[in-house]
Amino acid sequence: MSNEYLLEMVNISKSFPGVQALKGVELRVRYGEVHALVGENGAGKSTIMKCLMGMYKPNTGTITFDGQERSNYTTADALNFGISMIHQELTPVPYRSIMENVWLGREPRNKYGLIDHKKMYELTQGVLATVGLNEDPKTLMIKLTVAKQQLVEIARAASYNAKLIIMDEPTSALTDTEVAQLFKIIRKLREENTSVIYISHKLDEIKQITDRVSVFRDGQYIGTEDTDKLPQDKMIQMMVGREVSNLFPKTKCDIGEVVLEVKNLSHPKYFKDVSFTLRRGEILGFAGLVGSGRTEVLETIFGIRKKSGGEIFLNGEAIDIKSSEEAIEKKLALLTEERRFNGIFPVLDLIENTAVANMARYTNAFGFVDNKKMKADCQTFIEKLQVKTPSERQKIQNLSGGNQQKVLVARWLLTQPDVIMLDEPTRGIDVGAKAEIHKLVSQLAGEGKCVIMVSSELPEVMGMSDRILVMHEGRVTGIIDNTKDVSQELLMHYATASKDDLQKAQ
């Protein structure tokens, strides 16, 4: 192995029943570099990282780390080598403290072999300081926002004194300020000669923070380039094998009558006096920082949360939905933000996941399920959305994130909704799958469906919406017609200023 490389993975192959996940791929990471790993969902990025972490055993190939060839090792061995990983889907122990989560399985002990809580508290304060997180180490993880849980994960990874840290979609739940803090941490790690493998679908971040980029496609290695010499268009072409000419294929369609009207909707904790209308054929974008109340508004309309005030009208009729079952009966659909926690049923197959919101349609008066009709309907949508799977009986947990998201979209389309609420529909999925989801959303609007789309990515909101509603700290600060004059700067102005501040400025 060259002295230049901390990590060298050569000719790595890995297969599962019915799937060849990796086909002789390679990955070389230098000492003290930030190395991007990109590709569509299903390209093999997660699989090669699991091989590196000792979670999978490769069928072929060699792994050399820090000058030594490593084989048949466990995840615990990988941590001891100096390899640490921050997973995209966070897995905290929710009802344990921050310090217990950081030192889980390696708690400092006193001379009697008992856990030294005082030392653990002090050590945790130190590692939290490295990521700029000012929280009491005794705070329960469940009381933290997703963003702060992410920062705890980063602190834990750094606490291993790792030589290589793998970051899988580390900014998916972070605000711009928190992203800036993360990049500061990454630059500090690089200065200390720690290497970082950075996996992300946000190509602007990759251009900003990484030194080199390796591209995978369909389980194969496509190439490695210096980041500053790789134009974004070429990177996308390497990832998808074709040019993605129109990432936001919003077609002009007729905007009809008001279907949904929300008046002064309030929740005692999350938002107050939210008002807007939604018309047939319209895509209404919801913008705002994480924690602004966007998700909670959608959940309240859908009956998951109880409103404390305000009114909701559907086709001119006042409604008071108290459960998701009622919402489905009223032809509402909600694609949730966290697909892993409140979207997919991981151990069920694609058909079961697709049909679960619509079982009444397949169950007769005696409680028997028409499996033949259910399978036929589900297959229609699985094919329509081009879900990549070896079989419709594949467990959904074995699919890539983008394909899981398509199955969830299929689930709600099967209910034949009039109002479709999409909460971060493209979070954590690749550029090719994003374009497909965007195309589908545009088609739905063209068919006369009403769409609300929450997104933290301003280019997505601007590229797909007819109007944009912006929230800040539970208040609507503006509803803007999406014209050529709308800019990211204008949206950020509304997203960071209260309604009172905006009124004073006028």
Side-chain angles (χ1 to χ4, degrees), residues 264-334:
N264 300 316
L265 190 66
S266 298
H267 184 280
K269 184 177 178 182
Y270 295 107
F271 57 86
K272 187 174 183 181
D273 293 332
V274 171
S275 299
F276 64 89
T277 58
L278 180 66
R279 297 176 179 274
R280 192 170 301 283
E282 180 181 35
I283 300 175
L284 177 64
F286 269 41
L289 302 178
V290 173
S292 60
R294 300 166 304 168
T295 294
E296 290 77 12
V297 169
L298 266 56
E299 290 175 344
T300 303
I301 294 170
F302 200 67
I304 296 173
R305 296 184 185 274
K306 187 177 180 181
K307 65 183 174 70
S308 59
E311 298 174 289
I312 303 171
F313 297 88
L314 188 64
N315 295 314
E317 177 189 344
I319 58 171
D320 187 14
I321 296 172
K322 291 185 170 63
S323 69
S324 53
E325 290 81 7
E326 279 187 57
I328 293 168
E329 288 175 12
K330 296 286 187 185
K331 297 294 183 182
L332 302 182
L334 173 63

Side-chain angles (χ1 to χ4, degrees), residues 168-359:
D168 189 358
E169 295 287 348
T171 65
S172 61
L174 302 187
T175 64
D176 289 347
T177 303
E178 289 160 340
V179 170
Q181 175 65 25
L182 173 64
F183 285 1
K184 187 177 176 183
I185 295 163
I186 291 173
R187 292 186 183 103
K188 184 181 175 187
L189 290 168
R190 180 165 51 192
E191 288 168 7
E192 295 168 352
N193 211 34
T194 301
S195 301
V196 175
I197 295 176
Y198 192 92
I199 302 171
S200 179
H201 296 305
K202 297 180 180 179
L203 304 188
D204 56 332
E205 290 182 0
I206 286 166
K207 296 293 283 184
Q208 189 177 342
I209 196 63
T210 69
D211 301 301
R212 291 193 303 148
V213 182
S214 288
V215 183
F216 282 18
R217 184 174 73 238
D218 295 329
Q220 299 182 68
Y221 171 72
I222 303 302
T224 299
E225 302 271 359
D226 290 340
T227 306
D228 58 2
K229 296 176 183 174
L230 182 61
Q232 186 165 305
D233 289 348
K234 186 184 176 186
M235 194 191 308
I236 292 172
Q237 194 169 354
M238 289 171 73
M239 287 165 60
V240 302
R242 65 187 190 281
E243 287 189 29
V244 178
S245 56
N246 192 359
L247 184 56
F248 303 115
K250 178 73 175 73
T251 54
K252 192 71 178 174
C253 59
D254 293 331
I255 305 296
E257 72 280 7
V258 171
V259 174
L260 180 71
E261 184 174 9
V262 173
K263 288 185 177 179
N264 300 316
L265 190 66
S266 298
H267 184 280
K269 184 177 178 182
Y270 295 107
F271 57 86
K272 187 174 183 181
D273 293 332
V274 171
S275 299
F276 64 89
T277 58
L278 180 66
R279 297 176 179 274
R280 192 170 301 283
E282 180 181 35
I283 300 175
L284 177 64
F286 269 41
L289 302 178
V290 173
S292 60
R294 300 166 304 168
T295 294
E296 290 77 12
V297 169
L298 266 56
E299 290 175 344
T300 303
I301 294 170
F302 200 67
I304 296 173
R305 296 184 185 274
K306 187 177 180 181
K307 65 183 174 70
S308 59
E311 298 174 289
I312 303 171
F313 297 88
L314 188 64
N315 295 314
E317 177 189 344
I319 58 171
D320 187 14
I321 296 172
K322 291 185 170 63
S323 69
S324 53
E325 290 81 7
E326 279 187 57
I328 293 168
E329 288 175 12
K330 296 286 187 185
K331 297 294 183 182
L332 302 182
L334 173 63
L335 183 72
T336 54
E337 177 183 10
E338 295 290 342
R339 62 173 172 263
R340 185 168 179 265
F341 293 108
N342 50 21
I344 66 168
F345 294 89
V347 297
L348 299 184
D349 63 31
L350 269 65
I351 288 178
E352 292 163 327
N353 267 280
T354 306
V356 71
N358 209 30
M359 289 304 296

Side-chain angles (χ1 to χ4, degrees), residues 20-73:
Q20 182 72 37
L22 296 174
K23 306 164 190 172
V25 300
E26 62 182 71
L27 179 65
R28 293 176 174 86
V29 180
R30 292 171 178 155
Y31 285 89
E33 82 163 338
V34 182
H35 193 110
L37 179 58
V38 302
E40 293 189 271
N41 288 107
K45 307 185 300 296
S46 294
T47 304
I48 194 170
M49 290 300 99
K50 287 176 179 177
C51 289
L52 176 57
M53 283 302 300
M55 299 163 75
Y56 292 159
K57 302 290 183 288
N59 300 122
T60 67
T62 58
I63 300 174
T64 308
F65 184 78
D66 203 18
Q68 293 184 44
E69 188 172 321
R70 317 282 184 170
S71 60
N72 295 319
Y73 59 87

Side-chain angles (χ1 to χ4, degrees), residues 391-424:
S391 163
E392 69 274 1
R393 288 300 180 187
Q394 177 75 265
K395 288 182 180 178
I396 195 170
Q397 66 184 3
N398 296 331
L399 298 190
S400 66
N403 284 302
Q404 289 179 4
Q405 195 75 314
K406 289 182 186 178
V407 172
L408 294 182
V409 172
R411 173 192 296 173
W412 290 113
L413 293 185
L414 197 58
T415 67
Q416 300 176 332
D418 292 327
V419 177
I420 303 169
M421 297 182 285
L422 307 171
D423 195 354
E424 301 283 6

